[in-house]
Amino acid sequence: MATPAQGTVLPPQAGPLPPYGAPAAPQAAPQAAMPAAAYPSPPRSPAPAVLSGTTGEERAPLTPGAEQPYPAGAADAAHPQPAADPAVPHGPGLQKTAAPQPAPGQPTAPGATGSQSAPMDAPAGPVAGPDAPQEGADGAFIPHPGDGGPRPASATAPHASGPGAPTGPHPASAPTPHAPGPHPAPANHGPNPTPQGAWHHYDPWSAPLQGGGPVPPPPALRRTRRGPLVAGAVALALLAGGVGGGIGAYVERYGGLSDIQLSQSGADEGGRKPDSVAGIAQTALPGVVTLHVRGSAEQGTGTGFVLDHQGHILTNNHVVEPAGSGGEISVTFSGGQTAKAKVVGRDGGYDLAVVQVEGVAGLRPLTLGNSDSVRVGDPVVAIGAPFDLANTVTSGIISAKQRPITAGGKKGDGSDVSYVDALQTDAPINPGNSGGPLVDAKARVIGINSAIRAADSGGGPDGDSQAQGGSIGLGFAIPINQAKRVAEELINSGRATHPVIGVTLEMEYAGDGARVSERSKDGRRPVLPGGPGAKAGIKAGDVITKVDGAPVHSGEELIVKIRSHRPGDTLVLTVQRGGKERSVRLSLGASSTG
């Protein structure tokens, strides 16, 4: 059995339904129909008379304790209704009919005591046809055995009154007993249906109206409310579209809402301490340049730094040497600006050179420090372009001082050998760092990076970081005190002077110290007559073991010690002669290179 519509009163007992179209079986104990007023019900406000949706039965509204007549035209005026289904007859000819009585021996569904009405002009007799509607006790319809529910009014056959059914006229406005319970909305009948109060289309699949309940608003009123509803729907759609677009943009930019988002600290806008590596680099980098040198036979890359606002730049001699006299030197500043440069002067003995750029504004010269004040363990930063990687910053410490370094010597005659009393550092220095500044914690230049000790060199420190492999933590820089003097001479005169003692050394001597040669070499006498050595009493074959109290172990070390001073400086030399030591005072002379 299909479930009836909501609000339909079901029979009190379940049982098989009669065949479709057959009269209901008689009850075990017939009950007399009682007026609706005999059953207590809650107070209801007056409502227009309604007709049962499929039988045309008119039901009057109830008031507490009494039946009240309701004029037929009042509901029509208060609630104009739309035209009903023209298939259902309607008009003044409707009459009130009693429910057909079941024939003897016919089964009747329990509780089926309702009433039916038919048009006045319908022939008397039992209701015929498979679509004849049946109504329960409170207007409930007995479900159709084939489809599980009542048939719509438009599908029913014409009604015929059965035996004993009243056939007299019944005005539509006459009050009738009203049984409690839900009743379906009546349909509008007649060939020219017009709004008639509470007459409506009946929908058999929806819940019947509750007794005395409010009547739905007419279609005209519903149509007048569609405007605000449509506007609201459009506004809601626009809002939803905006929200959806925002969510889509967020998902496209940041990924799906379920994507994993890793936490991250905010940007660090704080500054750095001036003595930190970052602070030192920030101060020094604007004054560091990268040099690209191109000559007829070779080319190379190195580093330099700005000395003054006139565009003078200090670098290594071996960096600019490939350019020779007709090559090209290009200088690139840390900000990317590029300019051509020319050689002002260079010296192979110190491995230093000065070039100059013109027409460049906003130059940032670096401050020069004092290399004599440097202590082992002081922090330093090396800046350069290793392997042409410009603006590279590395850091370390001063690991040693006064390291005797010789570099160059490619010519074979010793004219290109540089002797450096170098600062040693573990700051990584690689090919391309040559000529770059080694700065202290206050971003002051204390040395010029010039040489490294490579793992495959096999001998002593041999300079020329341009020609060596990677750094192994042994880098060497020309002390700035020495470089400053040479740079000033190169800028002012185009050449540098070397301090000398006026003797020829035996570079092949294997003993400890530096021995003065016993015979002339290349036409030169071992001790230059009238020179500084001759004036101090030095003779051929003497062995110099100390300079100002510092031990000397080879001829190279003696040259390095001497070149770390200026011409005119006075030195105290310890000399061995015939197994005895003596000290002599010597004033350094000068020789120039061009």
Side-chain angles (χ1 to χ4, degrees), residues 63 79 90 107 145 158 167 184 196 242 307 315 353 412 433 543 560 588 593:
T63 56
H79 300 282
H90 171 70
T167 59
Q196 297 293 332
L307 291 173
T315 186
N433 275 108
V543 177
V560 168
L588 295 175
T593 60

Side-chain angles (χ1 to χ4, degrees), residues 127-331:
V127 177
D131 295 332
Q134 298 176 358
E135 186 175 3
D138 286 328
F141 290 88
I142 298 175
H144 190 284
D147 55 11
R151 306 284 288 185
S154 61
T156 58
H159 297 273
S161 59
T167 59
H170 296 278
S173 62
T176 58
H178 183 76
H183 303 284
N188 217 358
H189 304 280
N192 297 312
T194 57
Q196 297 293 332
W199 298 73
H200 301 284
H201 289 287
Y202 170 68
D203 183 0
W205 313 111
S206 66
L209 295 174
Q210 302 296 324
V215 180
L221 182 59
R222 288 196 299 268
R223 284 194 298 270
T224 60
R225 295 177 181 174
R226 290 179 181 173
L229 293 177
V230 171
V234 171
L236 182 60
L238 292 176
L239 178 61
V243 173
I247 294 175
Y250 177 87
V251 170
E252 180 180 359
R253 181 173 182 179
Y254 300 104
L257 297 179
S258 61
D259 290 352
I260 295 176
Q261 299 292 330
L262 302 178
S263 60
Q264 184 180 17
S265 61
D268 183 8
E269 299 179 357
R272 297 292 185 270
K273 293 182 178 180
D275 59 349
S276 66
V277 175
I280 295 169
Q282 183 178 1
T283 302
L285 272 172
V288 181
V289 300
T290 301
L291 289 86
H292 294 90
V293 181
R294 185 169 296 147
S296 58
E298 55 182 328
Q299 61 184 10
T301 301
T303 308
F305 62 93
V306 179
L307 291 173
D308 53 29
H309 291 283
Q310 286 72 38
H312 291 108
I313 295 171
L314 183 61
T315 186
N316 281 138
N317 175 66
H318 71 260
V319 171
V320 300
E321 190 174 14
S325 58
E328 179 180 320
I329 301 174
S330 175
V331 175

Side-chain angles (χ1 to χ4, degrees), residues 235-496:
L236 182 60
L238 292 176
L239 178 61
V243 173
I247 294 175
Y250 177 87
V251 170
E252 180 180 359
R253 181 173 182 179
Y254 300 104
L257 297 179
S258 61
D259 290 352
I260 295 176
Q261 299 292 330
L262 302 178
S263 60
Q264 184 180 17
S265 61
D268 183 8
E269 299 179 357
R272 297 292 185 270
K273 293 182 178 180
D275 59 349
S276 66
V277 175
I280 295 169
Q282 183 178 1
T283 302
L285 272 172
V288 181
V289 300
T290 301
L291 289 86
H292 294 90
V293 181
R294 185 169 296 147
S296 58
E298 55 182 328
Q299 61 184 10
T301 301
T303 308
F305 62 93
V306 179
L307 291 173
D308 53 29
H309 291 283
Q310 286 72 38
H312 291 108
I313 295 171
L314 183 61
T315 186
N316 281 138
N317 175 66
H318 71 260
V319 171
V320 300
E321 190 174 14
S325 58
E328 179 180 320
I329 301 174
S330 175
V331 175
T332 303
F333 293 84
S334 62
Q337 187 178 6
T338 302
K340 299 295 181 181
K342 64 179 182 179
V343 177
V344 174
R346 61 192 184 94
D347 185 90
Y350 288 107
D351 194 20
L352 292 172
V354 174
V355 299
Q356 185 177 18
V357 294
E358 296 179 356
V360 178
L363 294 175
R364 299 279 299 273
L366 296 187
T367 302
L368 304 183
N370 189 334
S371 56
D372 290 341
S373 301
V374 174
R375 298 292 181 266
V376 174
D378 284 349
V380 291
V381 172
I383 305 175
F387 300 101
D388 204 14
L389 299 174
N391 303 324
T392 297
V393 176
T394 58
S395 64
I397 61 170
I398 295 294
S399 54
K401 292 179 62 176
Q402 298 179 340
R403 291 296 193 197
I405 301 300
T406 59
K410 295 180 181 179
K411 293 182 178 180
D413 57 0
S415 61
D416 62 339
V417 176
S418 60
Y419 299 90
V420 179
D421 192 22
L423 298 173
Q424 179 180 306
T425 179
D426 65 349
I429 297 174
N430 290 284
N433 275 108
S434 293
L438 183 71
V439 300
D440 62 10
K442 295 183 179 180
R444 300 174 300 191
V445 181
I446 59 173
I448 293 89
N449 303 316
S450 299
I452 62 173
R453 175 67 180 265
D456 58 351
S457 60
D462 48 9
D464 195 358
S465 65
Q466 191 91 330
Q468 303 302 314
S471 172
I472 61 172
L474 291 174
F476 304 96
I478 302 172
I480 192 61
N481 290 10
Q482 179 178 332
K484 175 179 179 294
R485 178 184 67 82
V486 174
E488 290 172 345
E489 291 180 350
L490 293 176
I491 293 172
N492 294 327
S493 64
R495 61 182 62 190

Side-chain angles (χ1 to χ4, degrees), residues 503-506 508 515-527 539-541:
V503 298
T504 300
L505 298 177
E506 187 178 335
E508 298 82 9
R515 188 170 72 173
V516 179
S517 179
E518 295 180 346
R519 55 184 178 270
S520 299
K521 185 176 183 180
D522 298 332
R524 292 182 299 178
R525 298 177 64 177
V527 178
K539 295 181 179 181

